[in-house]
Amino acid sequence: LFLSIFLMAKISKLNTEQLGFSKDNILISYLKGALFGILQISIVFFIIFALKAIDVYYVGNISILLLIKIFIIFIFQALLEEILFRGYLMPFFSKVIGIKFTITLLSFLFTCIHLFNPNLDIIGLANVFLAGVAFSLIYYYTGNLWLVGAMHTLWNFILGFIVGSQISGIITYHSIFFSIPVENKELISGGAFGFEASIVTTIVELAISLFVIYLIKKEKLRGKINE
């Protein structure tokens, strides 16, 4: 992560703030993103659970120390993906092809890095793309990688190691709970790919994207009125 930031800054001649790492209110920004990430995955989990598409078992076969280690790993993993797809590529591409095409292209590239994940299906593919769109829109609106990175981190961490679903098809063997898909309800549960292949996730990601688009348009309209 640190090497990537150094190389990107040198090559692009951008400072870390221009790459999305604001020096103001870092902790507040990260906590906000963490809260949004927790809310996002919690909505998906509880809807799927309420629709009886998963059986949830408490296992608790993971230590607090291991949870902390895993959480730290996911902090760096999520920030690395976000700085590449949002912080670095977005400003350059948007100057050439505009922000709409940039978000579409980067979401497509974000989807491509998940193509070889196990048990990927068409809904899982669509949801990874929609997640890329949602993260890109949030970054475009806030310009804050701490916030987007925290959302990404908490989604993966809670998904795999708290509620015990697959992370983009990858099985986690140690978690606090295990979420087992109910037979013949794969459309809701996401089946072997996990919640990220659930139609519930599709709806949630679309709702988030539409809400952020509304905020962006509202901000632009406010700017025109002020002018």
Side-chain angles (χ1 to χ4, degrees):
L1 174 64
F2 294 122
L3 179 61
S4 297
I5 292 171
F6 174 77
L7 291 175
M8 289 176 187
K10 287 295 182 183
I11 293 168
S12 62
K13 301 188 186 304
L14 298 174
N15 58 43
T16 52
E17 289 197 56
Q18 290 171 314
L19 288 171
F21 290 105
S22 173
K23 295 177 182 177
D24 298 325
N25 301 317
I26 294 174
L27 183 59
I28 298 298
S29 297
Y30 201 88
L31 288 176
K32 282 182 180 178
L35 181 62
F36 293 147
I38 292 169
L39 183 62
Q40 183 185 15
I41 185 61
S42 296
I43 289 171
V44 170
F45 170 73
F46 283 113
I47 290 175
I48 293 173
F49 180 70
L51 293 174
K52 298 181 179 179
I54 51 173
D55 291 323
V56 180
Y57 301 95
Y58 173 76
V59 284
N61 65 340
I62 187 167
S63 69
I64 297 297
L65 182 59
L66 182 56
L67 273 177
I68 293 171
K69 288 179 180 178
I70 290 167
F71 184 71
I72 293 171
I73 290 169
F74 274 108
I75 288 174
F76 287 98
Q77 174 265 334
L79 283 175
L80 183 59
E81 288 188 14
E82 292 309 317
I83 190 177
L84 175 61
F85 288 101
R86 258 62 72 174
Y88 182 68
L89 294 177
M90 186 179 284
F92 287 106
F93 283 18
S94 60
K95 289 178 183 177
V96 180
I97 61 176
I99 191 62
K100 292 180 182 178
F101 286 111
T102 294
I103 289 175
T104 303
L105 176 60
L106 293 182
S107 300
F108 171 75
L109 294 176
F110 183 70
T111 305
C112 286
I113 68 171
H114 294 83
L115 283 176
F116 297 102
N117 286 36
N119 303 308
L120 181 64
D121 60 16
I122 189 65
I123 298 179
L125 201 64
N127 285 349
V128 172
F129 179 83
L130 287 174
V133 171
F135 286 139
S136 295
L137 285 168
I138 292 167
Y139 178 66
Y140 177 68
Y141 179 65
T142 64
N144 194 319
L145 270 185
W146 297 116
L147 189 149
V148 182
M151 285 188 67
H152 196 159
T153 295
L154 268 296
W155 171 274
N156 286 343
F157 177 72
I158 292 177
L159 180 66
F161 297 94
I162 303 298
V163 300
S165 179
Q166 294 89 335
I167 304 174
S168 300
I170 299 169
I171 298 173
T172 55
Y173 294 97
H174 300 279
S175 59
I176 294 176
F177 297 92
F178 275 158
S179 297
I180 310 299
V182 173
E183 193 175 352
N184 298 322
K185 288 193 175 183
E186 288 81 5
L187 183 65
I188 300 173
S189 70
F193 193 72
F195 296 171
E196 288 168 312
S198 167
I199 194 68
V200 176
T201 301
T202 308
I203 295 167
V204 169
E205 294 297 339
L206 281 171
I208 291 171
S209 297
L210 291 172
F211 179 66
V212 179
I213 290 171
Y214 163 76
L215 292 177
I216 292 169
K217 288 183 175 180
K218 186 179 178 181
E219 191 73 23
K220 287 183 177 180
L221 180 61
R222 186 182 301 160
K224 288 180 180 179
I225 292 172
N226 292 335
E227 289 176 4

